[in-house]
Amino acid sequence: MDALIPRPPARLGPGAVHRPGWLPKEQQRQLVTACREWAAGPVPLRHTRLPRGGVMSVQTVCLGWHWQPYRYTRTAGDVNGSRVAAFPEWLAELGRRALADAYDDPDAGEGYDPDTALINFYDGRAKMGMHQDKDEQSGAPVVSLSIGDTCLFRFGNTTTRGRPYTDVELASGDLFVFGGPSRFAYHGVTRVFEGTGDPATGLASGRLNITLRVTGLTD
Ligand code: MD3
Ligand code: FE
């Protein structure tokens, strides 16, 4: 759905750029198809287990490196022991284009070589609490792509989980890049607006978020 109310590109903090509607519908559809295949295995999409016995409401599958709280490994010891699917070069190229467009600098993506992707699926009840992503040994930007239902994303600060923060809606096709000091800002997803996605993406319900990252790890 095209926005009735325009959503202009916005800078939410140093290095944090939101580009509404960046990914064309056809590429959203292709990404949904790819995510469906990754969700099937070798490591299936599942609710990540937390160290204290809980599970996340979000369902996740990883590429390149497997993330579990709070480290990256090549194999998914907490799921089925399999090695995760490879991180495809076309996805790294999409990440470089994302950086160039987000920062309005054709060279901003040069040398960006993400080696892991976390694919998160949210049903209407899923949320993600405020957290920092600091299991990566690299300060390289995180590229985030959203598909499907709109969510309310909370972008915070680098020192506390609480205020000040900014709430922003992330809709299908939106790009968000978190680089520079914003790379280590607290952030979370407070709610998903069920039924707001366009089924033409191939996603009948729910929300997908794909983040591209540089782990800074070597085998
Ligand atoms: C800001 N995912 O997987 S994407 C996560 O929508 C995560 O699934 C959310 O937070 C989601 O860790 C938010 C936006 C995002 C991702 C990574 C960040 C924002 C970030 C890393 C640093 C700062
Ligand atoms: Fe995060």
Side-chain angles (χ1 to χ4, degrees), residues 35 38-41 43-46 48 59-63 66 84 117-121:
C35 287
W38 293 323
V43 179
L45 181 83
R46 86 292 167 211
T48 298
Q59 298 173 70
T60 303
V61 62
C62 308
L63 305 178
H66 176 75
V84 296
L118 268 66
I119 295 143
N120 291 329
F121 179 75

Side-chain angles (χ1 to χ4, degrees), residues 1-2 19-33 94 97-98 101 145-148 171-175 198 200-202 210:
M1 195 99 80
D2 287 320
R19 293 239 170 251
W22 179 77
L23 194 67
K25 187 87 35 127
E26 178 57 23
Q27 286 183 51
Q28 294 181 48
R29 235 169 46 77
Q30 290 167 356
L31 209 40
V32 169
T33 301
L94 188 65
R97 281 211 295 115
D101 287 353
L145 295 167
S146 295
I147 303 177
S172 205
D174 285 13
L175 163 68
D198 177 356
T201 59
I210 298 113

Side-chain angles (χ1 to χ4, degrees), residues 70-197:
Y70 292 93
R71 65 202 165 98
Y72 284 96
T73 48
R74 286 297 193 185
T75 56
D78 60 334
V79 186
N80 63 1
S82 294
R83 187 181 171 103
V84 296
F87 186 102
E89 192 50 39
W90 62 262
L91 197 52
E93 185 53 38
L94 188 65
R96 289 187 282 272
R97 281 211 295 115
L99 290 190
D101 287 353
Y103 293 141
D104 282 319
D105 172 1
D107 300 331
E110 267 180 35
Y112 185 62
D113 193 19
D115 62 347
T116 192
L118 268 66
I119 295 143
N120 291 329
F121 179 75
Y122 294 73
D123 66 19
R125 291 174 305 271
K127 300 175 195 316
M128 192 177 287
M130 292 294 277
H131 66 279
Q132 291 172 296
D133 292 26
K134 47 184 187 186
D135 298 324
E136 300 81 17
Q137 313 294 313
S138 162
V142 172
V143 170
S144 154
L145 295 167
S146 295
I147 303 177
D149 286 345
T150 297
C151 78
L152 199 57
F153 173 70
R154 179 163 289 177
F155 179 69
N157 62 81
T158 54
T159 54
T160 79
R161 314 186 117 60
R163 292 191 171 87
Y165 48 68
T166 306
D167 287 342
V168 46
E169 285 189 5
L170 293 185
S172 205
D174 285 13
L175 163 68
F176 217 131
V177 170
F178 303 90
S182 297
R183 171 66 180 78
F184 296 104
Y186 281 91
H187 58 277
V189 172
T190 54
R191 62 167 298 191
V192 171
F193 301 102
E194 256 185 301
T196 50

